[in-house]
Amino acid sequence: MNLVLQPVLHPLLLILIAAAGLFVTVRCVVTAPDGRTRTAWIVRTVTVLACLVLALRPGIPGGQSQTLTTDTDVVILVDSTASIVAEDWADGAPRLDGVREDVAALVAEYPGARFALITFDASAELRLPLTTDTAALRSAMEVLRPEPTQNSRGSSIGIAADLLEETLRNAAASSERSRMVFYLGDGEQTAASQPESFRGGGELVDGGAVFGYGTAEGGRMKVQTGGLGEGADEYIQDGDEPALSRIDEDALRTIAADLGVEYQHRTPGTEPSLPAAPTSTTTQPSGSTGDVTDLSWIVALMVVGLLAVDAALLAGAIPGILRIAGRRAEGGAP
């Protein structure tokens, strides 16, 4: 069996430190006045040796770890207008809760893929360029808040079309990876103009889906302040009544048709139906990494046991030490 060492410091430095400790303990073993003391110092000598072995971190080669990688670029478009916090998701929760859950499902479905995040309201913004850092994607979604209500002047559901096409073309030029697009929104067009078409980007899409959020009855929207908080307590008003945001599924189906993907109306408590990665993509081990089974924990248990024995020996010697100290105190009394 081959032994593998993974020392916490340079081995020579560890040996020098241990040698200093051994010099002291061995000397005390040799000069010990009685058997109990000699036993205690022998235990301490063995403890120093065990600590040296522990610091060398012994292990044995074994086990191979594999990581999955999906040879695909996934671009996610998320509606960040005030309507994304309309309270017609689960039990009056904002739609953004459902969006976050579905983005997490995408990450889990396509392990090792590169993800990009585009948000859109009055303008489109590339929040996260293509990356395999899914922690960054989760963080971006966690801090995502709609634009401040006072800055809202109406928005187009297709405003991200040009940015999406640019992102896809750059991805296609840099690699031969497949490309998937997921559009998450409610389809509510509040700009006076007609929504832009996604057909230009659709030519570069190998798969994906459009997810729709909201209800026909609509949901109220709280005023957004632009901070990291959830927004003000009051609701956006439409005259004397709270304004309602309603899903526009026809508009979302048009976007899906432009992109060449399926449309799904998302509802609370259900899992999204996620398409398989394109046929030109394979999900396979990205390589095996030699793993080492660490044996340090065994040595650590030995050290704990030796310290316990040393403590017991010391505790047993305490009465004798107290008696000697008492006699000396009596002998030295006036």
Side-chain angles (χ1 to χ4, degrees):
M1 180 178 62
N2 295 326
L3 189 65
V4 178
L5 299 180
Q6 305 172 88
V8 296
L9 295 174
H10 193 283
L12 289 179
L13 180 58
L14 291 174
I15 291 173
L16 287 175
I17 295 173
L22 288 172
F23 174 79
V24 173
T25 58
V26 171
R27 186 172 183 275
C28 290
V29 168
V30 174
T31 59
D34 54 63
R36 179 187 291 273
T37 304
R38 183 175 295 106
T39 301
W41 281 107
I42 290 174
V43 170
R44 290 163 192 162
T45 301
V46 177
T47 302
V48 172
L49 290 172
C51 288
L52 172 61
V53 175
L54 180 62
L56 291 173
R57 291 184 60 207
I60 55 174
Q64 295 290 316
S65 60
Q66 297 179 326
T67 56
L68 293 176
T69 178
T70 304
D71 192 23
T72 300
D73 291 334
V74 179
V75 183
I76 304 172
L77 292 86
V78 174
D79 184 345
S80 57
T81 62
S83 63
I84 203 61
V85 292
E87 298 174 346
D88 57 358
W89 186 244
D91 298 323
R95 297 170 185 169
L96 186 55
D97 286 3
V99 171
R100 289 185 177 124
E101 292 171 7
D102 287 347
V103 170
L106 291 175
V107 171
E109 182 68 18
Y110 308 110
R114 295 197 305 177
F115 291 90
L117 176 64
I118 296 175
T119 60
F120 59 93
D121 38 56
S123 61
E125 179 182 354
L126 180 62
R127 293 286 186 104
L128 186 70
L130 284 167
T131 178
T132 56
D133 186 357
T134 55
L137 175 60
R138 293 189 187 96
S139 296
M141 288 301 303
E142 191 62 32
V143 302
L144 178 63
R145 297 293 184 274
E147 62 179 344
T149 303
Q150 63 181 11
N151 297 341
S152 180
R153 299 292 183 271
S155 58
S156 173
I157 58 174
I159 196 169
D162 289 343
L163 180 56
L164 171 63
E165 182 176 354
E166 178 185 351
T167 302
L168 293 174
R169 290 196 182 281
N170 289 339
S174 64
S175 72
E176 297 181 356
R177 298 164 66 92
S178 299
R179 294 165 296 279
M180 303 181 76
V181 172
F182 291 87
Y183 180 107
L184 292 75
D186 52 41
E188 189 174 37
Q189 177 81 4
T190 56
S193 60
Q194 289 295 314
E196 297 84 347
S197 172
F198 282 90
R199 282 192 292 271
E203 300 173 356
L204 302 165
V205 176
D206 299 308
V210 171
F211 295 158
Y213 303 84
T215 60
E217 296 77 15
R220 301 181 301 172
M221 301 162 285
K222 284 186 177 178
V223 172
Q224 299 299 307
T225 61
L228 292 180
E230 290 298 327
D233 291 332
E234 65 268 19
Y235 289 89
I236 299 173
Q237 297 294 117
D238 182 10
D240 295 331
E241 298 293 330
L244 297 177
S245 170
R246 297 179 175 86
I247 188 173
D248 187 338
E249 294 194 89
D250 289 339
L252 292 171
R253 289 190 180 94
T254 298
I255 294 174
D258 288 345
L259 291 173
V261 298
E262 296 294 324
Y263 166 69
Q264 296 179 42
H265 180 211
R266 299 292 298 117
T267 55
T270 63
E271 295 293 329
S273 177
L274 299 177
T279 54
S280 60
T281 298
T282 56
T283 301
Q284 58 188 0
S286 62
S288 298
T289 303
D291 200 7
V292 175
T293 301
D294 197 337
L295 301 179
S296 298
W297 64 274
I298 299 176
V299 184
L301 289 177
M302 293 175 58
V303 171
V304 171
L306 289 167
L307 291 174
V309 171
D310 191 15
L313 291 171
L314 181 60
I318 289 177
I321 295 173
L322 292 176
R323 285 194 298 271
I324 294 173
R327 286 196 297 269
R328 287 181 178 177
E330 292 174 358

